[in-house]
Amino acid sequence: MRPTMGDIAVEAGVSQMTVSRVIRGTGQTSVEVRERVHDAARKLGYVQNRLATALRDESSTLVAVVLPTLRNRVFSEVLDGINEVLSTGGYRPVFGVTEYSQEREEELVLDLLSWRPRGIILSGLEHSDATRAAVLASGVQVVEVMDTDGDPISAAFGLSQTQAGRTTASHMISKGYRRFGYIGSRDGKDLRAEKRFAAFRDVVRESGAQIVNEILVEGPSSMVAGRRSTAQMVASADRPDAIYFSNDDLAAGGIMHCLSEGIEIPSELALAGFNGLSFLEALPIRLTTVETPRLEMGRRAAAHVMQASEPSESLPSPSVIDLGFRLIPGETC
Amino acid sequence: MRPTMGDIAVEAGVSQMTVSRVIRGTGQTSVEVRERVHDAARKLGYVQNRLATALRDESSTLVAVVLPTLRNRVFSEVLDGINEVLSTGGYRPVFGVTEYSQEREEELVLDLLSWRPRGIILSGLEHSDATRAAVLASGVQVVEVMDTDGDPISAAFGLSQTQAGRTTASHMISKGYRRFGYIGSRDGKDLRAEKRFAAFRDVVRESGAQIVNEILVEGPSSMVAGRRSTAQMVASADRPDAIYFSNDDLAAGGIMHCLSEGIEIPSELALAGFNGLSFLEALPIRLTTVETPRLEMGRRAAAHVMQASEPSESLPSPSVIDLGFRLIPGETC
DNA sequence: CTGAAAGCGCTAACAT
DNA sequence: ATGTTAGCGCTTTCAG
């Protein structure tokens, strides 16, 4: 159907091998032959069949990417960073979404591995044993992004979710708040948010303060959910004087509720978020949050997969690269 | 290296062909053999090599997806819709980002086609001749999303950008506004935003009103850019009484500026956006906008690629499916 | 119900 | 500088 190197070879009057060499620009070829081959290729509308190349090479230039969701800007930014770097080397991401389910992740990983990708990028450090076993057995480059609190399969680029939670708590406590609320999402399926909150809670308790109210919203986190939950929490008997949100979208919703209801920030209610999304800069009130290196985690992970040229028998020892975070003090606490 | 069907065959004491049949669940196989094969596969940690399958089949279960950017929620939602449907059939998206460049799109399309995808999903109806020629010659299913104003290569699922622009203009004019401003982005590289504005402008002029000010922001559209541009436009000599923004992020930035500066909406300044993103519901003031079927466009496009089972010689005639839009009247005009 | 043969398109290795 | 051979892992086709 579609022209192959063989067809071009006939058209150009050379062997298939010569066509292969010309097209890849490897080996020695005369100028004259090169031109004939390129002309023939153009004339026939030749498009390389990378399936064959990859089969032959026992590895493709695809990179598997496994994300928990696409409904959260955080992960599309990570994906953007990944793609940005991969595309400079002609690599392409093939991806799947787990919806925060380890079982789904397991299936997905097996499936993606069947494309013999050059590497696989996973989110977080928690995976089922089968998932870990599968990627390890596959021999492909494995990189985990987002988190540093745990044992990586091989390499990880992330930030300490625990430290981020502690830092936020310390900041809020230093500002004098003592009665805290927490608004999170995903019914505890987001392990990283859980780590942040666990650390936050520890610091709060250590300091003698307390968590007086917790709301976990159903469905994906969003400004709307944040606004609704804040309204609910503020109206409840256990009204906190400060709320820690599991991310900026929820927190921004909290700000919106306060703006609408005339609740004074931070005197009547203090708020803190997580991620440092750029839209916060546009809000009338600057949210106190923790900035995370989302693009950078993606870029570094992609770069790591790409520079894995030599399949060294001695697998590089597991290593975690902490890309850090930064507390951005705003006007909300 | 990795176990193949041949290895399993040896382990299970059958032929490779039998392994193939068992694994795919096709043809006739005895219960006993099936068990032996599955046991052997599990024992050896077998993972199918789809590169071989795809090479043999002359088509893969990958679907190429070409998007202009990942920095805009609109496209991650489309991608989400695509992935949602594709994954139900075991298909996987392989994607690339054009940054709104037709040249980049051309390279990308050729590159993605080299993976012999089952289909390719493009954004918009405007492509270079070479791009059109390449996808047509490839024989893969081609679907275009986002737009319906133009000639599709084969099938398209979108909405009339032109009608959306006209509808918004009519609405604003009916509300009595006569001096309009426009805030867009991407230096006119976003062809769909251009179509909306062109239609908007036409209606404004036909009605005897006028566009008194235009600002095209550099870089990706964002709330921050919208807030800054609104500030600039409101402070200028040619201050409009209503601003049409090319999307909701920019418009939300406009609302934020008004909130911060105490500008009364809509009496001092009216605003309208585009997309109907869900976060608008959380804002203290409801933006008037046009809701677009982003997830649905992605889903339908993916479904179209998947149901293309029979490679009918008679290519289905080009057809455009208009998924429509809906004007959502808010409090901003 | 199972097996053997052939070939998908490409490239490493070995000629010439 | 160019050509020949062999084989990557799988599945379609044809035989038993």
Side-chain angles (χ1 to χ4, degrees), chain A residues 5 20 24 46 56:
Chain A
M5 285 188 176
S20 174
R24 286 175 302 142
Y46 177 71
R56 177 63 248 233

Side-chain angles (χ1 to χ4, degrees), chain A residues 73-270:
Chain A
R73 271 204 238 37
V74 167
F75 296 103
S76 45
E77 287 187 27
V78 170
L79 184 56
D80 200 19
I82 290 172
N83 180 58
E84 185 189 294
V85 171
L86 286 187
S87 62
T88 64
Y91 291 77
R92 301 284 159 223
V94 195
F95 77 91
V97 161
T98 67
E99 298 298 346
Y100 291 97
S101 150
Q102 289 198 5
E103 296 81 61
R104 181 94 192 83
E105 179 181 58
E106 197 173 306
E107 294 171 33
L108 210 44
V109 164
L110 259 339
D111 189 281
L112 291 171
L113 250 18
S114 73
W115 292 105
R116 298 292 187 267
R118 183 61 53 90
I120 183 165
I121 299 175
L122 303 173
S123 305
L125 299 170
E126 287 78 18
H127 316 284
S128 72
D129 290 343
T131 299
R132 296 177 75 100
V135 295
L136 239 19
S138 74
V140 308
Q141 286 294 320
V142 196
V143 191
E144 289 157 290
V145 288
M146 307 308 292
D147 199 359
T148 61
D149 302 318
D151 296 319
I153 298 173
S154 171
F157 295 91
L159 62 105
S160 170
Q161 304 284 335
T162 298
Q163 267 308 319
R166 297 188 70 85
T167 299
T168 308
S170 299
H171 175 80
M172 294 178 95
I173 283 164
S174 77
K175 292 287 184 173
Y177 304 103
R178 289 295 176 271
R179 291 171 52 79
F180 293 96
Y182 174 70
I183 294 180
S185 69
R186 284 286 170 189
D187 313 75
K189 284 191 297 177
D190 181 343
L191 267 22
R192 289 173 293 285
E194 267 193 357
K195 288 183 185 180
R196 292 193 295 276
F197 180 46
F200 182 93
R201 188 204 286 118
D202 287 348
V203 172
V204 164
R205 291 191 179 149
E206 285 161 16
S207 73
Q210 52 179 330
I211 310 282
V212 300
N213 205 328
E214 291 180 33
I215 294 180
L216 291 182
V217 312
E218 304 288 323
S221 67
S222 65
M223 256 172 92
V224 178
R227 179 167 173 171
R228 199 180 321 120
S229 305
T230 302
Q232 186 185 331
M233 192 173 281
V234 163
S236 78
D238 294 317
R239 173 173 171 157
D241 50 30
I243 302 178
Y244 180 40
F245 294 82
S246 71
N247 64 48
D248 290 343
D249 291 292
L250 292 170
I255 291 181
M256 293 304 146
H257 176 70
C258 294
L259 282 178
S260 295
E261 301 300 312
I263 297 171
E264 192 82 25
I265 295 175
S267 58
E268 293 183 73
L269 186 70

Side-chain angles (χ1 to χ4, degrees), chain B residues 8 11-12 32-45:
Chain B
I8 298 181
E11 180 76 24
E32 190 221 359
V33 164
R34 246 172 296 170
E35 284 183 357
R36 284 218 311 274
V37 169
H38 280 132
D39 287 350
R42 206 166 311 123
K43 178 176 169 194
L44 300 185

